[in-house]
Amino acid sequence: MTSSAFPVSLTPPIVLAPMSGITDLPFRRMVARFGAGLVVSEMIASGEMVTARPSRRAASRARAEVDESVPTAVQLAGRHADAMAEAARIADGQGAPLIDINMGCPAKKVVGGAAGSALMREPDLALRLIEAVVGAVRVPVTLKMRLGWDGDCLNAPEIAKRAEAAGVRMLTIHGRTRAQFYTGRADWEAIAGVVEAVSIPVIANGDITDARSGRAALAASGAAGIMVGRGAQGRPWLLAQIGAALHGTPAPEIPEGAALADLVADHYEQILSFYGAELGVRIARKHLGWYIDAAAGSAGLRAVLMRESDPARVIRALPDALTPDRAAA
């Protein structure tokens, strides 16, 4: 997906969703290894980046180096135009090929600070933030939001038109309101109202977990592409798999057996290298659990690995842990 409206090539037009605590640099690298059109960083609070001593967490989340063939969008959140603009300048200066503005996060902590999806109740303020970020950077700026705040405030098309006029180059719409959080089903048909309102590309998001749901989301919304989130947990090849089914891009070789154990071990070691051994061991556990679940592996060894703190023991146990548990089947 490349156009005059959006000059960055997304091949295939399948995007990895930003997920706090999940889409860190090691995970984005794993997804990029198999193939994706775009990966998005964890959300970064703009205020954490612009202080005199930026937090280590904010600095690590803003790292955009993944793979030359797969661009990274660094996602920023906030409600102060100056801080958002400065954070965007920092990310641009560090090599981020795109800046994404978060107006979709429903978390109470974010909304309580009047950021994320809370901005959908304040479209004038949202526009000032967008204009500040667009004016601060040389790279394309994208925007992620929801259908609206609640059923009485479905203003995504209106905000989308204003965002396009302010210079946003692509939109991602989660097919729920903030009031819904992640309950019910994503309304892909409602995303069509945003597609019709703008000329820039729109990406459909919400409940897309495989090629079938991806195809249905595209058909219902008329979007230019789709965003995949939780479905990729334990399956970093999923985006490439969907891309092959929907767009004819090269199909990934899905690892099994020893190849899967090697891949998980590589991911595990990258996590430890990125965070340091003590913190990395704890952060890696959720990923190990997702890999084992996706492989229908050993429930007993899964429980053991969720407590194990010795990296060497974890790596030795992976081949058995990832072997399908036929007794459970």
Side-chain angles (χ1 to χ4, degrees):
M1 185 190 80
T2 306
S3 69
S4 58
F6 190 70
V8 177
S9 175
L10 269 59
T11 307
I14 316 288
V15 182
L16 176 65
M19 294 179 283
S20 182
I22 301 170
T23 55
D24 56 14
L25 185 60
F27 185 70
R28 297 198 306 270
R29 281 176 172 160
M30 297 305 295
V31 171
R33 174 187 299 188
F34 289 96
L38 174 70
V39 296
V40 186
S41 76
E42 299 173 83
M43 181 186 69
I44 306 165
S46 56
E48 291 188 15
M49 287 188 68
V50 302
T51 61
R53 299 180 64 182
S55 72
R56 181 179 177 184
R57 180 179 67 172
S60 67
R61 287 183 173 185
R63 289 177 60 183
E65 66 271 23
V66 176
D67 183 306
E68 289 185 0
S69 65
V70 181
T72 297
V74 171
Q75 189 184 76
L76 301 175
R79 66 175 283 105
H80 300 291
D82 290 347
M84 287 286 286
E86 181 59 23
R89 274 191 289 267
I90 292 169
D92 182 10
Q94 293 176 347
L98 298 101
I99 304 297
D100 187 61
I101 299 172
N102 183 305
M103 282 177 48
C105 181
K108 291 182 180 179
K109 181 178 180 180
V110 176
V111 171
S117 56
L119 289 167
M120 301 202 72
R121 294 185 297 182
E122 300 182 79
D124 291 341
L125 172 59
L127 184 65
R128 291 197 293 273
L129 298 182
I130 291 167
E131 291 172 338
V133 172
V134 170
V137 298
R138 302 162 296 171
V139 297
V141 174
T142 63
L143 173 65
K144 187 173 190 289
M145 61 181 171
R146 290 188 164 228
L147 296 174
W149 175 257
D150 57 23
D152 295 324
C153 180
L154 298 172
N155 57 353
E158 172 201 339
I159 293 175
K161 286 189 287 188
R162 298 181 69 180
E164 179 181 25
V168 164
R169 310 296 288 275
M170 185 177 77
L171 297 159
T172 300
I173 311 297
H174 185 111
R176 290 181 174 88
T177 64
R178 188 275 172 178
Q180 290 177 283
F181 281 82
Y182 297 100
T183 61
R185 294 291 302 172
D187 188 349
W188 300 324
E189 291 185 358
I191 297 173
V194 179
V195 174
E196 293 168 1
V198 298
S199 59
I200 56 177
V202 175
I203 304 296
N205 176 223
D207 297 339
I208 299 170
T209 58
D210 53 23
R212 181 179 180 182
S213 53
R215 186 177 289 109
L218 288 173
S221 66
I226 55 175
M227 175 174 277
V228 178
R230 288 169 287 179
Q233 294 171 182
R235 299 186 294 168
W237 51 83
L238 179 63
L239 279 77
Q241 192 176 25
I242 295 174
L246 300 187
H247 302 285
T249 49
E253 184 173 342
I254 299 174
E256 297 178 343
L260 178 59
D262 287 345
L263 179 138
V264 177
D266 183 20
H267 189 185
Y268 184 75
E269 290 171 339
Q270 286 191 43
I271 292 172
L272 268 58
S273 175
F274 186 68
Y275 290 102
E278 184 176 352
L279 177 59
V281 163
R282 298 198 300 271
I283 288 175
R285 287 171 180 157
K286 60 193 170 195
H287 291 281
L288 295 177
W290 291 326
Y291 280 117
I292 295 168
D293 291 345
S298 168
L301 282 173
R302 185 189 193 282
V304 170
L305 293 183
M306 293 304 100
R307 300 187 299 270
E308 182 58 68
S309 58
D310 183 339
R313 290 179 181 173
V314 170
I315 290 173
R316 283 199 300 270
L318 286 176
D320 290 335
L322 293 163
T323 299
D325 191 341
R326 308 205 183 279

